[in-house]
Amino acid sequence: MCGIVGYVGKREAFPVLIEGLSALEYRGYDSAGVALIDKGSLVVWKNKGKVAQLKAFAEKKVKPGSTIGIAHTRWATHGVPSQANAHPHTDAKNRIALVHNGIIENYAALKDKLKKEGVVFKSETDTEVLAQLVGKYYKGDLVGAVSQALAEVDGTFGIAVIAGDNPDVLVGARRGSPLVVGVGDGEYFLASDASAIVRYTKRVIYLKDSSLVVLNRSDHTIMDLDKKVMTYEIQHVDYTAEALAKGGFPHFMLKEIFEQPDTIRNAMRGRLLVDDGSARLDGLNLVMQQLRQINRIIFVACGTSWHAALVGEHMMEEIAGVSAEVEYASEFRYRNPIIDPHTLVFVISQSGETADTLAALREAANKGATVLGICNAVGSSIARETHGGVYLHAGPEIGVASTKAFTSQLTVLALLTLLLGRMRRISHDEGITIAQALQEIPEQVKKILKQNAAIKDIAKRYWKHNNFIYLGRSYNFPVALEGALKLKEISYIHAEGYPAAEMKHGPIALIDKDLPSVVIALKDSVYEKVLSNIQEINARGGQVIAIATEGDKNIKKYAAHVIYVPKTIPMLSPLLSVIPLQLLAYHIAAFRKCEIDQPRNLAKSVTVE
Ligand code: F6R
């Protein structure tokens, strides 16, 4: 759950590394550090806190002239956030420095062994064990020492390593954790993802799993972990460093909420066939015959992606007529699921690096399932390990709270429903109705975004409340869950999402004037029922913020506040109803002066189980 940057070239390494770390801070941010080579010796600067603190602390002390270095931003797994536990870690003789993303599972056994050999440890981390191992084997050949050390470790790693007496060589390796090489002119970059290096080069090599890379100023070699040379491809990354900046918004989250008309359009571009009332998804890598034979889908995901999967399940069963179920990735792998040749497993992940989802993917593949992915991050581990899939094309999502990825996931799920549904029970005309409704969504989202100021006003009235309940039914029950998750993760307010009708089975006891209820009450088949739930809340002195369908004046009689969304077909309504909930959570968190893009205890991609 960390970010890695490495550099070897002709520039001063320190500023390059700090810039790279800042771009990667969304991956974790409880401590940060840098190691440089200064006249044949390693110099390490590291601290608890954010990258800006590291920069302020080390900037004046770093001597000019270091053109090679490694750096790290950490999200603690083994040991508390502290200077000692921050990376880079060095070996006993201070000859090598190493940064690591991932988990060394057998670190305790390795540590005991090294201790018996006389090694004194400086930190509580699993990573230091790896640094000490590399140090133990290092006799001038850094690649050899890294490869020898990695042969002894179980677990996952993305690492960057340098040796003080070898100022021309930067070694990287990965197994299970992402690592990308940036190819410059007389210089190389190494990073957990391309956003750390795009300002310097657009030419990147996404390292395959279980590979090792040796970089010097003029050359690079890519091998497997046994040092056998591997093939690779240099790719051009198509987003700029500017795309990563906040674009005039105070937070990435708000920027990403406002990007949704475009990102939803991007997700359907070239895929929605309005005239045929269908969709084409080339990346599935399945022929029509195979798609026709599928009679069950298992969606596997975590967090917000899991909420998208719940909507997908509903679409798939109601519209496409394909039996579907949704699993938490973290539970799926420990449950011995039944998978037959007619079952398709879909893993959904924005980052494509979520460890639980990756493990579930491997479990399903191991049982012989065809596993497809719905991912945002191109070249991510999940994207690479699935048999096929669909990219979201939402661009990098930097705010830790997922927003645009969620609506893109819903869009792709709607396309998938169209595709599979047209092979089964959706008629040509019904297909056209769905396709036309989908085509209208981006403009409808734009209309909702225009209510930003009004939603901010509602947030202003409620930001001091410490508990919220979110209610929805049918397609909008998962949206209630998502609204509650958005609020709790960025504002630290306790919020629960519930199916509206379940309220009477317990949560209704919570209702009083201090517990605002956010209720999704659209004009659909469950409208009257949800209205009854709202009346039950009113009768107990509760305050209701309703998300309602444009033109529904009636609801004003029952709700203290109403946020209107345009009318669409029920299966697409989550694409609209979630937007006010994202904005409400955002503004409440902003009033509470929370660190919206980097909420406490969270990181953007959860690469630990
Ligand atoms: C919530 C959030 C998380 C992620 C979850 C899965 O806003 O961001 O709940 O949705 O960690 O992440 P991905 O989709 O990257 O697998």
Side-chain angles (χ1 to χ4, degrees):
M1 181 54 62
C2 310
I4 290 175
V5 193
Y7 176 74
V8 56
K10 50 205 173 185
R11 305 173 201 243
E12 288 294 335
F14 183 75
V16 174
L17 296 171
I18 291 290
E19 295 240 22
L21 284 188
S22 304
L24 289 183
E25 232 180 353
Y26 69 92
R27 297 179 65 88
Y29 36 79
D30 63 39
S31 46
V34 169
L36 302 165
I37 300 177
D38 179 30
K39 298 190 187 72
S41 309
L42 285 175
V43 196
V44 177
W45 307 100
K46 57 184 187 175
N47 226 342
K48 190 177 160 189
K50 297 194 166 191
V51 175
Q53 285 160 268
L54 170 71
K55 186 178 175 202
F57 149 80
E59 202 165 33
K60 292 198 183 72
K61 301 184 185 150
V62 169
K63 293 198 196 116
S66 293
T67 55
I68 178 168
I70 55 176
H72 189 266
T73 174
R74 178 171 187 251
W75 187 78
T77 54
H78 293 74
V80 294
S82 68
Q83 188 188 30
N85 288 338
H87 302 211
H89 289 285
T90 52
D91 66 320
K93 294 184 186 149
N94 211 33
R95 293 198 306 161
I96 70 104
L98 178 146
V99 290
H100 168 225
N101 172 25
I103 288 188
I104 307 300
E105 284 164 11
N106 59 339
Y107 87 102
L110 291 171
K111 191 168 181 172
D112 281 349
K113 202 168 144 210
L114 286 164
K115 274 183 177 169
K116 283 189 191 124
E117 293 169 13
V119 174
V120 178
F121 281 83
K122 298 166 271 189
S123 78
E124 305 158 279
T125 62
D126 54 336
T127 301
E128 191 190 346
V129 172
L130 186 50
Q132 296 286 7
L133 261 187
V134 176
K136 173 178 154 182
Y137 295 125
Y138 182 60
K139 310 244 164 7
D141 170 15
L142 188 57
V143 189
V146 169
S147 155
Q148 215 175 335
L150 291 179
E152 292 186 25
V153 304
D154 296 334
T156 56
F157 51 80
I159 57 168
V161 198
I162 51 174
D165 61 0
N166 209 342
D168 296 320
V169 179
L170 168 62
V171 175
R174 66 158 295 194
R175 185 166 73 202
S177 299
L179 209 55
V180 56
V181 176
V183 183
D185 182 13
E187 58 183 355
Y188 285 97
F189 307 80
L190 196 61
S192 305
D193 84 47
S195 62
I197 53 185
V198 280
R199 71 179 64 228
Y200 302 106
T201 178
K202 302 263 184 292
R203 299 173 70 219
V204 302
I205 303 166
Y206 291 103
L207 289 181
K208 292 182 190 151
D209 209 15
S210 298
S211 60
L212 197 148
V213 60
V214 190
L215 305 168
N216 57 47
R217 285 172 183 78
S218 56
D219 204 3
H220 65 272
T221 314
I222 294 173
M223 312 176 235
D224 66 15
L225 294 177
D226 298 321
K227 296 198 292 176
K228 194 165 138 257
V229 173
M230 288 169 83
T231 55
Y232 59 88
E233 194 189 333
I234 298 184
Q235 297 185 24
H236 191 87
V237 284
D238 59 0
Y239 56 87
T240 60
E242 289 75 42
L244 298 161
K246 290 182 193 150
F249 289 93
H251 296 96
F252 282 112
M253 183 180 174
L254 192 60
K255 173 179 173 251
E256 288 159 5
I257 291 173
F258 273 80
E259 278 172 11
Q260 290 176 109
D262 291 333
T263 49
I264 293 170
R265 205 173 276 119
N266 284 345
M268 56 176 122
R269 200 182 297 281
R271 296 168 170 170
L272 183 65
L273 310 175
V274 181
D275 295 341
D276 296 347
S278 189
R280 61 181 287 181
L281 295 167
D282 295 339
L284 293 182
N285 293 339
L286 293 178
V287 293
M288 289 299 173
Q289 184 59 18
Q290 287 171 293
L291 286 173
R292 259 184 219 109
Q293 282 166 357
I294 286 147
N295 57 21
R296 177 171 167 245
I297 290 183
I298 307 178
F299 291 110
V300 182
C302 306
T304 288
S305 299
W306 186 81
H307 297 155
L310 289 178
V311 179
E313 173 192 31
H314 200 144
M315 290 179 185
M316 218 35 96
E317 296 208 328
E318 190 179 77
I319 310 295
V322 180
S323 155
E325 53 207 79
V326 179
E327 297 276 355
Y328 281 115
S330 53
E331 293 295 317
F332 178 83
R333 66 175 303 207
Y334 294 109
R335 222 178 48 69
N336 206 14
I338 297 166
I339 290 166
D340 65 30
H342 301 297
T343 300
L344 206 56
V345 174
F346 259 97
V347 291
I348 308 183
S349 172
Q350 185 286 128
S351 61
E353 300 295 348
T354 302
D356 287 324
T357 313
L358 195 53
L361 181 175
R362 287 174 180 158
E363 178 63 23
N366 205 27
K367 290 204 156 59
T370 300
V371 188
L372 302 174
I374 298 178
C375 277
N376 192 33
V378 176
S380 59
S381 301
I382 291 177
R384 277 199 307 271
E385 292 195 25
T386 37
H387 299 111
V390 190
Y391 279 124
L392 301 180
H393 300 315
E397 191 179 62
I398 308 284
V400 164
S402 187
T403 52
K404 63 177 180 174
F406 179 70
T407 46
S408 297
Q409 287 164 347
L410 296 183
T411 307
V412 167
L413 288 164
L415 293 170
L416 193 63
T417 302
L418 258 183
L419 178 66
L420 295 181
R422 286 284 282 117
M423 292 173 179
R424 291 168 175 79
R425 64 179 185 198
I426 302 180
S427 69
H428 181 244
D429 283 358
E430 284 163 341
I432 289 183
T433 305
I434 296 171
Q436 284 175 340
L438 194 50
Q439 208 176 21
E440 281 177 33
I441 294 287
E443 285 308 310
Q444 293 179 317
V445 170
K446 260 190 198 164
K447 216 170 162 189
I448 302 170
L449 292 171
K450 288 195 180 130
Q451 298 178 68
N452 183 35
I455 295 170
K456 188 174 175 183
D457 284 346
I458 298 174
K460 198 170 177 182
R461 290 182 62 145
Y462 289 95
W463 66 271
K464 288 187 184 152
H465 286 259
N466 289 322
N467 298 285
F468 275 71
I469 193 159
Y470 284 68
L471 302 172
R473 277 189 89 161
S474 183
Y475 279 109
N476 284 290
F477 159 52
V479 179
L481 295 179
E482 176 61 7
L485 177 63
K486 287 292 86 92
L487 187 68
K488 67 185 119 181
E489 66 184 333
I490 60 168
S491 72
Y492 319 140
I493 291 174
H494 169 240
E496 287 194 44
Y498 253 91
E502 266 297 302
M503 188 185 64
K504 58 184 175 291
H505 298 290
I508 196 163
L510 295 169
I511 304 288
D512 65 12
K513 64 176 176 24
D514 295 324
L515 183 90
S517 303
V518 180
V519 187
I520 306 156
L522 304 182
K523 279 269 190 169
D524 55 18
S525 60
V526 289
Y527 175 71
E528 296 295 339
K529 309 258 181 221
V530 176
L531 219 52
S532 304
N533 298 135
I534 292 181
Q535 281 163 293
E536 285 158 13
I537 296 168
N538 287 334
R540 284 154 187 86
Q543 307 237 45
V544 172
I545 302 165
I547 313 300
T549 306
E550 252 174 30
D552 177 10
K553 296 205 180 81
N554 179 43
I555 198 150
K556 287 196 167 168
K557 286 192 250 161
Y558 306 104
H561 309 275
V562 181
I563 307 168
Y564 286 109
V565 297
K567 182 146 188 67
T568 183
I569 56 173
M571 71 172 260
L572 300 181
S573 62
L575 277 155
L576 303 181
S577 57
V578 76
I579 310 287
L581 304 191
Q582 295 170 343
L583 287 169
L584 187 66
Y586 172 81
H587 289 300
I588 288 177
F591 281 120
R592 290 169 80 101
K593 301 208 178 326
C594 294
E595 288 217 48
I596 292 179
D597 284 334
Q598 296 178 347
R600 70 184 181 203
N601 306 341
L602 290 175
K604 186 64 186 162
S605 81
V606 186
T607 52
V608 291
E609 279 188 52

